[in-house]
Amino acid sequence: MTPPAGLRVVPHRAARLLLAVALSTAGLAASSPAAAGPALPRVRLIATGGTIANRAAGRLTADELIRSVPDINRLARPEPEQFANAPSASLSLDQWLALGRRIDQLCRDDGELSAVVVTSGTDTLEELAYFLHLTVRTDKPLVIVGSMRNPDTPGYDGAANLLAGFRVAVDPASRGKGVLVVLNDEINSAREVTKTDTRRVDTFQTRGYGVLGVVDPDRVVYYRAPARRHTSRSEFDVAAIRALPRVDVALVYQGASGDIIRAMVDQGARGIIVAGAGAGALSGTQEEAIAYALERRVVVVMSSRAGSGRIASDAAGETAAMTVHGEDLAPLKARVLLMVALTRTQNPVDIQRMFAEY
C-alpha cells in the first residue's frame, strides 16, 4: 500500500528509538524544578505537650505528631521541634519566655521559614497564645493548636486540628493577623478566645465577637481581622524581657475579705487583677485592701468575672480612679498583659494606654 503524499514512513526499529528518546526527554522535563513547580512552604512545628500528645504508652513527639497526619506533606514541608512535652499548666513563665524567644529568633533569622505552628495543652492555651501575640515581633503566621481528646480516645481531634492548623499557617491571608488559635475548624484571635467547656471539642470560642474565620474543605475563609496592636506592631520585645513579674488575680464574691489582696501585696505581687462582679463591683473589705495595694505602688487592674463586656473608665471614687480599667480583657488575659506591661513601666497612666491599645 502506498502511503499518502507527504507522510513519512519510519522503519519499526527507528520508531521505537524515537519513542524512547521522546519519553526520556519528557521524563527529564517532568523532573526539572520548573516542571515540579515551586517548593512547598517550610513550617516549623514546635511541640510543648498537652492532651494532643498524651498517649497512654508515652507522649507523642513532634515528629510522631507530624507522622499522624499523612496529608500534611501535601501542604508544607513540616519541620518538627520538641520544646517540651508536659501539660500546659506545668509550663513555667520562664519557659514562656524561652518559647517566645525561640519563635522570635526563628521568624527573624530564617527568611525562608513561612510559618510556625505550636502545639499546646488546652487548659492554659489561651494565656500562652496571648503572651506570644503580645511579644513575638513578626508578620509570619503563628498558629496554636491543641486537642480535647487524647490519642487513645475514639474521636481523637488532635490530627484534624493539626492539619487545620497547617492549612491556616500556609494560607497567605493568615499573614499579619497575629497569633491564631485553631481548633474544631475555627480560627480565633489569641486576644479574644477563651476555653468555655471542660470537655466539648468546640470549647474554644470568642464570646461577643465571633470567629476570625473557618477552615472549610475547599479553603480557609476569613471574615474579619484583629483590630488591636499585636506581634510586629507591638512595643514589647520578648528578647529584652529577662523575667515576668508576679501578678496575682483576686476574685470578687459576696462578702469577700480584703485579706487575700493584702497577702498578695505582702508576698511581693507587683500587680493585681481584680475579677470584679458585673462591671467591676467589689465586695466585703476589698476596697480597703485595694487602697492598701495602691499605697504600696502595686498596680491594680479592674476586670470582670462576667465572661464578656468592657470595664469603662467611669468608675466613681478615689480608689477606683487610681486603678487601671481592663477594657474587655478577661481576668486571665489581663494578667498576661499586665505582666508584660510591668517589664516596661509601673506608671498606671502608661499601663492604661496599653490596655486601650492591646
Side-chain angles (χ1 to χ4, degrees):
M1 178 177 176
T2 305
L7 180 62
R8 182 186 175 194
V9 179
V10 180
H12 183 63
R13 293 183 61 186
R16 287 190 297 175
L17 178 60
L18 287 172
L19 179 61
V21 171
L23 290 174
S24 176
T25 304
L28 288 172
S31 64
S32 67
L40 291 173
R42 288 174 49 225
V43 177
R44 184 64 58 95
L45 174 68
I46 301 181
T48 70
T51 299
I52 192 171
N54 192 16
R55 185 182 54 188
R59 289 182 178 271
L60 297 175
T61 65
D63 185 62
E64 289 171 324
L65 285 169
I66 288 173
R67 285 191 275 113
S68 73
V69 191
D71 287 343
I72 224 166
N73 292 300
R74 299 180 183 179
L75 294 171
R77 289 178 288 164
E79 302 173 351
E81 179 174 331
Q82 195 73 46
F83 177 83
N85 212 339
S88 61
S90 297
L91 294 180
S92 68
L93 296 182
D94 286 341
Q95 285 177 298
W96 276 19
L97 287 169
L99 179 61
R101 292 191 197 104
R102 177 58 179 154
I103 297 172
D104 192 67
Q105 177 195 31
L106 282 169
C107 293
R108 183 183 64 250
D109 297 344
D110 190 343
E112 299 302 315
L113 185 69
S114 296
V116 175
V117 175
V118 178
T119 62
S120 170
T122 60
D123 288 342
T124 63
L125 182 151
E126 63 196 90
E127 296 163 74
L128 171 62
Y130 188 44
F131 170 74
L132 299 175
H133 188 73
L134 291 171
T135 58
V136 176
R137 292 178 167 182
T138 185
D139 276 334
K140 294 181 180 181
L142 302 179
V143 178
I144 313 295
V145 302
S147 72
M148 292 298 292
R149 296 169 180 164
N150 64 47
D152 299 319
T153 303
Y156 170 58
D157 53 327
N161 289 339
L162 192 57
L163 180 61
F166 266 74
R167 288 183 62 193
V168 171
V170 301
D171 193 288
S174 300
R175 188 174 179 86
K177 287 186 169 61
V179 174
L180 304 169
V181 175
V182 178
L183 289 92
N184 199 41
D185 288 337
E186 295 178 336
I187 310 167
N188 287 279
S189 171
R191 181 188 186 275
E192 302 161 349
V193 72
T194 189
K195 187 174 183 179
T196 64
D197 193 280
T198 60
R199 297 289 181 183
R200 305 285 82 81
V201 295
D202 61 348
T203 179
F204 282 93
Q205 300 178 17
T206 297
R207 289 170 169 160
Y209 308 136
V211 297
L212 295 184
V214 294
V215 186
D216 279 344
D218 59 335
R219 65 188 180 95
V220 172
V221 183
Y222 281 101
Y223 299 111
R224 64 184 184 92
R228 301 295 186 101
R229 291 177 65 180
H230 58 75
T231 51
S232 63
R233 296 189 293 120
S234 177
E235 66 196 88
F236 309 119
D237 183 1
V238 71
I241 301 174
R242 300 271 66 85
L244 290 169
R246 176 172 173 170
V247 174
D248 292 323
V249 179
L251 180 66
V252 174
Y253 48 88
Q254 195 65 45
S257 170
D259 293 349
I260 296 173
I261 295 175
R262 289 175 179 267
M264 292 174 178
V265 175
D266 294 342
Q267 291 299 313
R270 289 180 54 196
I272 295 174
I273 307 296
V274 178
L282 302 172
S283 187
T285 59
Q286 290 180 319
E287 186 168 359
E288 292 86 348
I290 289 173
Y292 175 82
L294 294 171
E295 289 170 1
R296 284 151 183 80
R297 298 177 59 82
V298 174
V299 178
V300 178
V301 175
M302 297 301 303
S303 66
S304 176
R305 70 182 195 184
S308 63
R310 180 172 171 268
I311 302 295
S313 55
D314 61 351
E318 183 178 354
T319 300
M322 295 173 65
T323 62
V324 174
H325 305 282
E327 294 286 329
D328 60 337
L329 284 175
L332 295 178
K333 298 286 182 66
R335 175 178 178 261
V336 174
L337 177 53
L338 183 55
M339 284 193 296
V340 174
L342 286 170
T343 66
R344 293 184 61 84
T345 181
Q346 287 185 289
N347 186 329
V349 175
D350 288 341
I351 293 174
Q352 183 67 75
R353 187 264 307 166
M354 294 171 182
F355 271 81
E357 293 181 1
Y358 294 90

